[in-house]
Amino acid sequence: GYQEAREGRGGRQMRDGPIGGDAPPRRRSFDRPADRVSPSDLPAPEGRKKLVLAARSVPASDAGGDAVSDANSGDPKQPSTKPNPFGGARPVDSTAKIAETERKIKDERDKAHALLAAKSGPDPTPVPAPKPHHAGTGAVPPLSKSAVQPPATGRRGPLIMAPKQEPVIKAQNAFAMLAMDDDDDDDDDNNADGRRPRRRRRRFRKKNARERKWQNLVVPDDLLETHGARLARALHDVLLAVRELCSFALEQDGRWSSLNNQRKYRVSQLYSSLLDIVSADALRDVDHLTKVAAAATTDLSKTTCAALLRSFQSSNPGGQPRSEEAQRQLMFFCNSLRFTSLKTPSPLAQVRSWTALTPYYAEDVKYRQSELVTPLEDEKTLFSLIVATFAHDFDNFKERIGALGTDDDVVLHTHWKQVQTWASDRTQSLSRCVRGVTLYGDALRLLARLEGYDDATAELLVRSKFEFLVSAQIFGKQRLAPPGSLDKFKADAIEELIKDHRDLKVCFVHVPLDPLTEDFASCLIGRDATSGECRVDFKIKLPGNPIIGEGKPENQNQAVIFARGAYLQTLDMNQDNYLGESYKMRNLLDVFHGDVVLVGFPETIFSETHGAVAQFAAISEFIFQTFQRFMTWPLMVRFHYGHPDVWDKAFTMTNGGVSKASRAIHVAEDFFGGVNAIARGGKVIFEEFIECGKGRDMGFTSVNGFEQKISGSSGTISMSRDLFRLHRGMDAFRVFSLFFSGPGFFISMMQTAWCVYLYILAHATLAVADLEIYRVYRYFKMTETQTSLSLSKEEGGYYNSIYAIQLGLLTVLPLFLKMTVDRGLRDGFEYTISSLIQGSWAFNVFTMATKGYNYARALIFGQAQYIGTERGYVLQNASMVVLYGLYAKSHLYQGLELFIYLLLFHVYTSLPKSLLYTWSVWMFAGSVVIAPWWFSPQATNLFWMQNSWSDWRRWIDGNFPNKNVSHGSWQNWHAHMFSPWREILSPWYKILVVLTSGLGRIVLTLVCVASLHGNTQIDGVAQISQFGVNTARMAFASSFTMGVCVVYYVALRSKFLSRKSWLSFPEHLWKLSVYRGLVRISLVVAWFGFYGVFSYDKVDGVSSSRTLAMTVMGCVSITACVIEGWSMIGDREIEHIFDFAMPSPDLPAGSDPKAPPPQRNWRHNYAAPVVLETRRCLKRARDFADFWFCELDKACGAVIFGILFVFSLLPIASVQTVLIWNETFSDVIKQRVRVNECIQEIID
């Protein structure tokens, strides 16, 4: 009727006269003008459904006397007294209203049938009388979809309540009425082409109603009797009440307005949408509805309804998640559904089985309560830090457990198990990995139920498709640990994980306590299906200890025998997974076809929110993922990178396995597995519609430790036979791609660092030699033209910008592109700019030097080493001993040498605005030297510097208390760092290394010799002989310098000036410093006196200070090269040099009494004493070099402490807090420093 009124077929007639009347419509004062179009007269939008309302009728017995007394209240001529159902207080189901509605429905039905009979002919369809409703029969009162009112004559009639000509209603109950409503809708929609899809859907629902109605619906009989009928009646009452509410909302108030019609139109469309949502065909059968209502009272249905109710009653109902991580997961999941590579998956019965494999050694499993509640400073604990970092997540957690508004400490103690799981899932623990990976099984179970499997069948199907295998190498040892120990806690936590996750299995290596009675074995632990306890399912005897190579690949290899899936997914312990991505795992398995044996997909770094360093580590991972796409196609050189790739297990186990495990060679064990797959005819692809979580290192030292491992393993890869054999089967383009995506990347890092070094060395030597201005003589004429050897101002800035882009600024380009694609243009721009402000360029420069140094070191020694890194929260600032011990040889020496060349250039240059030529080098040197302390919290605090200086001095002296930090002393650390150079390299190789590392000092020495007197010629010396004269003078001065160094070494190693003899009297150490200072001053004065007497030569036109400076630089450079060469002397040279000249060893006395005494020859008399003295001299020379390296480290440490002291005078600590660190963690570290300061003041 509402649709007819809008189209003009009934509304105007009802307003102006009776139906069928011939009188023309009368124009009244309150009618609209003819040219005015009301919103109600506009055509309905396409696809809209008309609304025909009906009121609810009740039995007369239920109405009682109220129905009779209020029978006349429904007179249409009287004003309406019906309250607004949305604002009134009158109950909707009052008896008077029911009686009035019943009478209206009867009157309008009779009129409509009479009119239809008059138009149809003399043989109308008889109208059946309504059947009386008796209480207790269980029948539902008749329900009509059309509520029509009689035409108004004395006042303006309702606009949308025009009567509808409809066939005779033959409904017996509400379900039949619902069915008739659908039939009426189909008849009305025959003339509307736009509604054919909706009509087609309804017919499809009717066709499949019986199959859908009774499918897999098993309900206990007691629930049918107790809950089924009651809920069915309640559901009917709710539906009828909704209809009555809508009918009240469409009542006329006697005045016409556009706003009222818009409101009524919205209500009608809302009701139409509700009819589309409700499956009316499923509500036709009372018995079926009773059965469904009873099924809704089962435990599973209650759990589901409770979850839905919590979602509506949450603190953020209907809104987007407050957690940024949750938003990211939802965004990626929704975006991935539109990927063209995401095809329709196979049915669950046809899904290929797979095993997820994770190696585990001794990492954290779960948090202990003592770890979370032990106070750090200012009543703060690790738990409070985690809560502050994940504030929204913790609020959601408290809401789930019903503790919203409760104090955190109360929640911690009353819900310890839940809090332990929640906190452990916010770090890189085994618990988080197990919880995430076992979501694969949960997703499969849900998909199985959606496909119609019952619980028992679905469980069997999932068990045959997926399993999670953790290879805990030392789990057997941990189980035997004493109670209360950390290993025992980890073993108990692993057993709890096995009991809580039915898809988890753990294997370990059984190490026999008595090798005579027991054997090594690989054991598999699972969960007993009946008791739920852990048990050993399988035990396989081994011939010996399987861990003979690198630990991680050997741990994988011994566990593969227990993986029964057709495919193998390799994961790390610090990974995570998400339920939305688990649904797409069968799509990933479907991509295995043809020669595809390895499928990779990206990872998202969930640890990037824990500070700037963690963010930079995540950025490098983002860039690598972006590069993997390009490596897959068109470069076609992607291999296996450990995780989270999925292998074809049958191919892998018969073609070399997933990894190689040779010690010190196959540190990058996963890469060689991918090389094997490609070399033996396999194909590797990379899909992007699925992802998993990955945790990276969050501290500066751990991140660089990871880079050391990766770059060192790349050096061994470059020299491997696998890569050599692989490239021989590739075309030129793939060979180039293989080079630049693998070894070429690290070679470019190494060459960039060399280029910066050579760049400033060239500028410094030209400035020292005064060759920036040179003379050009043309045509043998004496006119001279001055030209600059160096670049001009504009060219200098241009060439330096190239170095700046290469040194870390260019790496943000792929980051910007990825962030733009994933998060949008604005977020990508903000993320990139914020990372640059936080110092990502300095971090990239430092890691570039790390990669170059360790790659070159691996090429020299032919081996790499696995470096274990910590992935926990950074709660302490690193000591000077730790940072210097880690980065002195690889970074600090080179950075400080660059500072020296920069100072020489700026002192001797004659170019204006020389900073334009060297600003990028200053950035490089500053990043290499200061980055470890810049990314260490509170490194510029004076109190920390004081404690760090004390630790530094104790470490130098050899009495450092912590023997595990930097090998406990400087002497042990220096011997360990130089051990490969001394013991592995041959003498000729050592000479080459000394010449290479001392290239700058050698070049500077030559420049100092050549420009000792500038461009002035010495009187009485030919120009061609002047270089030889300068060389002799420099050699003489260098010899005396070496003599002074020897005297200094002997003096400070003497008993009187040795520091070890004074350590027992710490209160008198200042006297030793005075004595040593006097010795240093006296030796310096002696050197200057010797120079003035024997080496200085007055030359006109040459400054004496310049000659002195050239002599000092030349002597220091020569002495440094000699000392570095002597430091390369190894034990092999000391013990076995000139072995050919030594006599044969004598037989032991008494071994053969009849043997004649050995005859002495020239070897005994002359060669042996000389050789032994030579060996003693070599030993002393190495000790002398070690002594001066100790002095060098003291000087470097003093320079670094000086720089930090200057920074401490500036507000650097606050800048670090704002830019680099999580503010909560920084507050804890600040408070720790304050507490220590207070304690120190109290002690003093």
Side-chain angles (χ1 to χ4, degrees):
Y2 176 62
Q3 184 66 25
E4 292 176 356
R6 291 179 58 85
E7 295 176 356
R9 300 199 300 267
R12 181 69 64 181
Q13 287 83 346
M14 284 195 61
R15 186 183 305 143
D16 297 334
I19 298 177
D22 297 334
R26 293 181 301 167
R27 177 72 179 180
R28 291 181 293 221
S29 59
F30 55 84
D31 285 338
R32 293 172 301 170
D35 56 347
R36 179 181 174 183
V37 180
S38 172
S40 61
D41 293 333
L42 297 176
E46 183 179 357
R48 295 291 189 181
K49 182 179 179 180
K50 65 181 180 296
L51 174 64
V52 184
L53 298 175
R56 183 179 65 173
S57 61
V58 297
S61 59
D62 295 340
D66 294 336
V68 178
S69 61
D70 295 339
N72 298 326
S73 62
D75 190 357
K77 295 183 180 181
Q78 297 180 5
S80 175
T81 59
K82 301 175 184 178
N84 184 359
F86 300 101
R90 185 177 178 181
V92 177
D93 56 346
S94 64
T95 55
K97 188 65 181 177
I98 293 174
E100 177 185 358
T101 305
E102 190 75 20
R103 185 184 60 79
K104 286 184 178 182
I105 292 175
K106 183 177 180 303
D107 294 343
E108 291 300 324
R109 182 181 297 172
D110 294 340
K111 292 180 181 181
H113 291 173
L115 181 60
L116 180 63
K119 291 186 178 181
S120 300
D123 188 16
T125 303
V127 180
K131 296 181 180 181
H133 176 69
H134 301 284
T137 59
V140 182
L143 186 65
S144 174
K145 195 176 180 180
S146 300
V148 267
Q149 300 178 358
T153 57
R155 59 183 176 88
R156 184 185 177 204
L159 177 64
I160 64 172
M161 305 303 292
K164 175 186 175 183
Q165 299 178 2
E166 56 184 13
V168 178
I169 301 177
K170 300 180 180 180
Q172 302 297 328
N173 50 40
F175 303 102
M177 183 64 66
L178 287 173
M180 291 182 61
D181 291 342
D182 288 342
D183 294 337
D184 293 342
D185 293 338
D186 291 341
D187 295 337
D188 294 336
D189 290 342
N190 286 334
N191 296 328
D193 295 337
R195 300 182 182 179
R196 290 179 181 176
R198 183 179 299 176
R199 183 174 67 252
R200 194 177 300 115
R201 289 194 299 269
R202 287 174 179 164
R203 290 177 179 175
F204 178 78
R205 289 199 303 266
K206 295 176 186 178
K207 179 180 179 181
N208 298 280
R210 185 171 300 276
E211 289 76 5
R212 242 186 4 259
K213 185 186 304 181
W214 304 103
Q215 185 176 5
N216 298 326
L217 191 60
V218 179
V219 182
D221 296 334
D222 56 344
L223 294 181
L224 287 175
E225 298 177 0
T226 58
H227 300 291
R230 180 166 55 87
L231 288 179
R233 288 193 299 269
L235 181 61
H236 291 160
D237 293 341
V238 169
L239 293 177
L240 296 177
V242 170
R243 288 190 176 186
E244 196 161 331
L245 284 174
C246 294
S247 66
F248 292 163
L250 294 175
E251 289 289 342
Q252 287 290 336
D253 56 358
R255 298 182 62 186
W256 179 91
S257 66
S258 175
L259 182 63
N260 288 338
N261 283 276
Q262 291 179 5
R263 175 179 59 81
K264 296 170 185 177
Y265 177 74
R266 294 192 186 99
V267 172
S268 64
Q269 296 305 314
L270 176 63
Y271 185 73
S272 301
S273 302
L274 179 62
L275 290 181
D276 291 340
I277 296 174
V278 175
S279 299
D281 53 351
L283 303 178
R284 294 170 184 168
D285 195 333
V286 179
D287 297 334
H288 172 63
L289 184 57
T290 304
K291 196 170 185 180
V292 172
T297 61
T298 59
D299 294 337
L300 180 60
S301 300
K302 290 180 180 179
T303 304
T304 305
C305 294
L308 292 174
L309 187 60
R310 285 197 306 270
S311 66
F312 286 106
Q313 294 178 347
S314 65
S315 58
N316 187 25
Q320 68 177 11
R322 291 170 295 184
S323 173
E324 294 183 359
E325 174 62 18
Q327 296 178 21
R328 187 205 59 78
Q329 292 182 25
L330 290 174
M331 184 180 298
F332 179 83
F333 179 79
C334 297
N335 291 338
S336 65
L337 298 180
R338 303 185 64 87
F339 285 15
T340 57
S341 57
L342 188 66
K343 307 298 182 182
T344 303
S346 302
L348 195 60
Q350 302 177 10
V351 172
R352 308 168 189 183
S353 62
W354 86 98
T355 298
L357 175 62
T358 295
Y360 168 81
Y361 185 72
E363 294 84 356
D364 292 334
V365 182
K366 289 183 178 180
Y367 276 126
R368 291 182 293 178
Q369 190 169 8
S370 59
E371 294 177 337
L372 293 178
V373 301
T374 301
L376 298 175
E377 279 86 15
D378 195 19
E379 299 299 328
K380 291 187 178 180
T381 61
L382 178 59
F383 178 68
S384 65
L385 297 181
I386 298 176
V387 170
T389 306
F390 303 96
H392 295 311
D393 293 356
F394 190 67
D395 291 340
N396 297 335
F397 167 74
K398 292 198 296 185
E399 188 173 350
R400 287 196 302 270
I401 63 176
L404 192 62
T406 310
D407 187 69
D408 294 348
D409 293 336
V410 176
V411 173
L412 176 65
H413 292 90
T414 57
H415 303 83
W416 162 241
K417 284 297 181 181
Q418 295 91 331
V419 169
Q420 183 188 34
T421 302
W422 180 86
S424 301
D425 288 347
R426 267 65 189 173
T427 186
Q428 302 179 38
S429 61
L430 182 63
S431 173
R432 178 173 190 165
C433 178
V434 171
R435 189 265 312 156
V437 178
T438 51
L439 290 177
Y440 284 133
D442 297 338
L444 292 179
R445 290 180 180 86
L446 178 58
L447 294 175
R449 287 195 291 268
L450 291 177
E451 292 188 8
Y453 295 97
D454 55 23
D455 292 342
T457 307
E459 185 64 26
L460 293 176
L461 185 61
V462 172
R463 289 292 182 91
S464 65
K465 297 298 181 182
F466 168 72
E467 67 174 356
F468 182 32
L469 181 62
V470 175
S471 180
Q473 178 181 331
I474 61 172
F475 178 62
K477 176 183 176 182
Q478 292 174 337
R479 297 180 72 185
L480 300 176
S485 62
L486 180 59
D487 286 343
K488 183 61 177 178
F489 171 78
K490 292 179 179 179
D492 295 340
I494 292 176
E495 291 183 357
E496 290 180 4
L497 293 177
I498 297 175
K499 297 176 184 178
D500 296 339
H501 300 86
R502 47 190 164 181
D503 298 322
L504 174 63
K505 295 182 179 180
V506 175
C507 65
F508 65 94
V509 177
H510 172 67
V511 180
L513 299 178
D514 186 5
L516 299 179
T517 59
E518 292 182 285
D519 296 316
F520 284 90
S522 290
C523 303
L524 180 67
I525 292 183
R527 188 182 69 167
D528 188 82
T530 57
S531 64
E533 298 296 327
C534 298
R535 68 177 184 181
V536 178
D537 292 337
F538 299 99
K539 189 174 183 180
I540 301 176
K541 180 181 177 181
L542 299 175
N545 190 352
I547 313 299
I548 58 178
E550 291 291 341
K552 179 182 175 181
E554 293 286 19
N555 195 11
Q556 286 180 323
N557 292 335
Q558 68 91 20
V560 169
I561 55 178
F562 297 115
R564 56 179 175 81
Y567 295 87
L568 188 66
Q569 183 182 13
T570 55
L571 297 167
D572 277 355
M573 191 280 304
N574 59 336
Q575 295 204 241
D576 195 4
N577 188 42
Y578 314 111
L579 185 61
E581 306 307 310
S582 301
Y583 295 135
K584 296 179 284 187
M585 190 62 189
R586 56 177 180 171
N587 301 78
L588 185 73
L589 295 174
D590 287 343
V591 303
F592 280 96
H593 54 80
D595 297 333
V596 177
V597 298
L598 180 62
V599 178
F601 56 94
E603 300 168 311
T604 178
I605 307 302
F606 56 75
S607 59
E608 64 171 326
T609 59
H610 302 288
V613 177
Q615 181 181 356
F616 300 155
I619 288 174
S620 63
E621 192 69 25
F622 291 153
I623 295 173
F624 179 67
Q625 292 176 15
T626 305
F627 191 54
Q628 282 192 71
R629 305 185 185 99
F630 195 64
M631 291 170 63
T632 305
W633 190 90
L635 300 184
M636 296 182 292
V637 289
R638 186 191 184 273
F639 301 102
H640 175 46
Y641 300 103
H643 44 78
D645 296 357
V646 181
W647 287 87
D648 185 340
K649 183 186 172 185
F651 177 90
T652 304
M653 294 298 100
T654 56
N655 289 275
V658 297
S659 60
K660 289 188 175 183
S662 300
R663 189 174 296 275
I665 297 178
H666 296 141
V667 176
E669 74 287 342
D670 40 20
F671 179 84
F672 291 97
V675 170
N676 274 340
I678 297 297
R680 304 190 185 199
K683 184 180 179 181
V684 178
I685 62 176
F686 185 80
E687 297 292 344
E688 299 182 65
F689 59 79
I690 187 174
E691 69 174 6
C692 71
K694 180 72 166 65
R696 285 292 301 272
D697 308 278
M698 295 184 289
F700 185 82
T701 57
S702 57
V703 171
N704 279 276
F706 176 78
E707 296 293 346
Q708 292 177 24
K709 180 183 69 174
I710 295 299
S711 54
S713 60
S714 298
T716 59
I717 290 172
S718 304
M719 299 182 295
S720 64
R721 296 174 296 176
D722 305 75
L723 206 63
F724 172 75
R725 293 168 180 170
L726 180 66
H727 94 279
R728 299 186 66 181
M730 293 182 173
D731 55 79
F733 295 104
R734 290 189 71 184
V735 170
F736 292 152
S737 302
L738 178 63
F739 173 77
F740 286 106
S741 62
F745 172 75
F746 295 93
I747 292 176
S748 65
M749 296 289 103
M750 184 172 55
Q751 289 178 342
T752 302
W754 289 354
C755 289
V756 175
Y757 180 84
L758 295 176
Y759 173 82
I760 190 59
L761 176 63
H763 276 276
T765 52
L766 289 175
V768 169
D770 195 18
L771 291 178
E772 291 178 312
I773 307 298
Y774 70 98
R775 295 178 176 83
V776 177
Y777 298 94
R778 299 179 180 177
Y779 306 106
F780 301 98
K781 296 181 179 180
M782 296 307 294
T783 60
E784 56 181 48
T785 305
Q786 292 186 343
T787 311
S788 174
L789 267 181
S790 299
L791 300 170
S792 64
K793 172 182 175 182
E794 293 78 8
E795 291 174 339
Y798 172 76
Y799 280 98
N800 273 278
S801 63
I802 294 178
Y803 287 105
I805 292 175
Q806 184 69 16
L807 295 182
L809 301 181
L810 190 61
T811 56
V812 303
L813 181 59
L815 170 67
F816 173 73
L817 296 178
K818 176 175 175 55
M819 291 296 106
T820 301
V821 172
D822 292 348
R823 307 180 184 182
L825 180 61
R826 186 185 67 178
D827 292 344
F829 183 79
E830 292 178 354
Y831 190 92
T832 305
I833 296 300
S834 65
S835 65
L836 289 176
I837 295 175
Q838 290 174 345
S840 62
W841 55 272
F843 181 82
N844 291 333
V845 168
F846 193 90
T847 55
M848 181 198 66
T850 301
K851 294 173 184 176
Y853 174 82
N854 288 276
Y855 183 79
R857 192 175 185 275
L859 291 179
I860 293 174
F861 301 121
Q863 62 182 8
Q865 59 180 346
Y866 181 84
I867 300 175
T869 57
E870 297 181 358
R871 298 188 178 97
Y873 294 101
V874 180
L875 299 177
Q876 295 180 353
N877 47 1
S879 173
M880 174 72 176
V881 176
V882 175
L883 297 178
Y884 193 88
L886 288 174
Y887 307 120
K889 304 292 184 183
S890 58
H891 298 77
L892 301 182
Y893 290 169
Q894 182 185 12
L896 293 175
E897 189 175 358
L898 289 178
F899 275 135
I900 294 175
Y901 294 151
L902 285 168
L903 293 177
L904 290 177
F905 170 74
H906 287 287
V907 169
Y908 288 98
T909 184
S910 58
L911 298 175
K913 299 181 181 179
S914 58
L915 189 61
L916 291 174
Y917 298 87
T918 58
W919 63 272
S920 62
V921 185
W922 281 104
M923 291 173 56
F924 181 89
S927 300
V928 169
V929 174
I930 305 300
W933 287 269
W934 171 254
F935 293 108
S936 179
Q938 298 297 314
T940 58
N941 185 274
L942 292 177
F943 179 78
W944 174 89
M945 292 174 59
Q946 180 181 356
N947 293 335
S948 187
W949 174 261
S950 300
D951 294 340
W952 166 259
R953 291 301 307 174
R954 288 198 297 267
W955 182 68
I956 292 291
D957 296 335
N959 58 350
F960 189 62
N962 193 347
K963 302 300 180 183
N964 296 325
V965 176
S966 298
H967 302 276
S969 65
W970 177 90
Q971 186 176 2
N972 296 335
W973 168 79
H974 179 75
H976 172 77
M977 298 300 294
F978 267 86
S979 178
W981 305 92
R982 291 173 174 175
E983 308 303 335
I984 296 178
L985 301 181
S986 64
W988 297 107
Y989 215 136
K990 293 178 182 179
I991 295 174
L992 181 61
V993 169
V994 171
L995 294 177
T996 303
S997 63
L999 177 63
R1001 295 185 292 274
I1002 295 174
V1003 173
L1004 186 60
T1005 301
L1006 296 176
V1007 170
C1008 292
V1009 171
S1011 60
L1012 184 61
H1013 299 287
N1015 298 324
T1016 305
Q1017 185 174 353
I1018 304 176
D1019 295 337
V1021 179
Q1023 185 176 6
I1024 195 172
S1025 303
Q1026 186 166 337
F1027 183 81
V1029 173
N1030 292 345
T1031 302
R1033 291 180 177 177
M1034 187 66 71
F1036 190 66
S1038 300
S1039 301
F1040 184 75
T1041 303
M1042 182 61 67
V1044 171
C1045 293
V1046 171
V1047 173
Y1048 181 76
Y1049 163 73
V1050 173
L1052 266 64
R1053 293 290 294 268
S1054 63
K1055 185 177 181 180
F1056 178 72
L1057 295 178
S1058 177
R1059 191 175 176 86
K1060 292 182 179 179
S1061 60
W1062 288 75
L1063 292 177
S1064 302
F1065 310 97
E1067 66 276 5
H1068 300 294
L1069 285 177
W1070 65 272
K1071 297 180 182 180
L1072 177 64
S1073 301
V1074 173
Y1075 298 153
R1076 287 191 168 194
L1078 293 176
V1079 171
R1080 294 187 181 100
I1081 294 174
S1082 60
L1083 290 177
V1084 170
V1085 172
W1087 187 91
F1088 277 102
F1090 177 85
Y1091 167 76
V1093 174
F1094 299 101
S1095 182
Y1096 176 69
D1097 187 10
K1098 178 65 175 179
V1099 178
D1100 296 335
V1102 179
S1103 173
S1104 59
S1105 60
R1106 174 182 175 83
T1107 306
L1108 176 62
M1110 296 295 107
T1111 305
V1112 170
M1113 286 189 292
C1115 293
V1116 171
S1117 300
I1118 294 173
T1119 305
C1121 292
V1122 173
I1123 291 175
E1124 185 175 3
W1126 288 356
S1127 66
M1128 292 289 181
I1129 300 174
D1131 294 337
R1132 183 177 55 184
E1133 288 80 11
I1134 295 175
E1135 298 174 359
H1136 300 286
I1137 191 172
F1138 301 142
D1139 277 346
F1140 64 92
M1142 293 293 291
S1144 300
D1146 297 336
L1147 294 175
S1151 61
D1152 189 2
K1154 297 181 180 181
Q1159 297 181 359
R1160 301 181 64 85
N1161 52 22
W1162 65 273
R1163 296 177 183 270
H1164 295 81
N1165 299 328
Y1166 304 103
V1170 174
V1171 171
L1172 293 177
E1173 186 62 28
T1174 303
R1175 292 176 179 178
R1176 284 192 294 268
C1177 291
L1178 291 177
K1179 179 69 169 60
R1180 293 171 183 171
R1182 190 176 71 177
D1183 293 341
F1184 173 78
D1186 292 343
F1187 170 82
W1188 277 102
F1189 263 99
C1190 182
E1191 296 296 315
L1192 173 64
D1193 290 329
K1194 291 179 183 179
C1196 294
V1199 171
I1200 293 173
F1201 273 110
I1203 296 175
L1204 295 179
F1205 177 76
V1206 174
F1207 283 171
S1208 66
L1209 303 178
L1210 305 174
I1212 298 297
S1214 59
V1215 174
Q1216 279 185 310
T1217 302
V1218 174
L1219 296 181
I1220 297 178
W1221 295 103
N1222 183 297
E1223 293 187 3
T1224 305
F1225 284 78
S1226 298
D1227 292 341
V1228 171
I1229 296 172
K1230 285 182 180 179
Q1231 190 64 26
R1232 171 178 299 171
V1233 173
R1234 294 172 185 171
V1235 170
N1236 292 335
E1237 290 177 351
C1238 182
I1239 294 174
Q1240 190 66 34
E1241 291 178 0
I1242 294 174
I1243 294 175
D1244 295 340

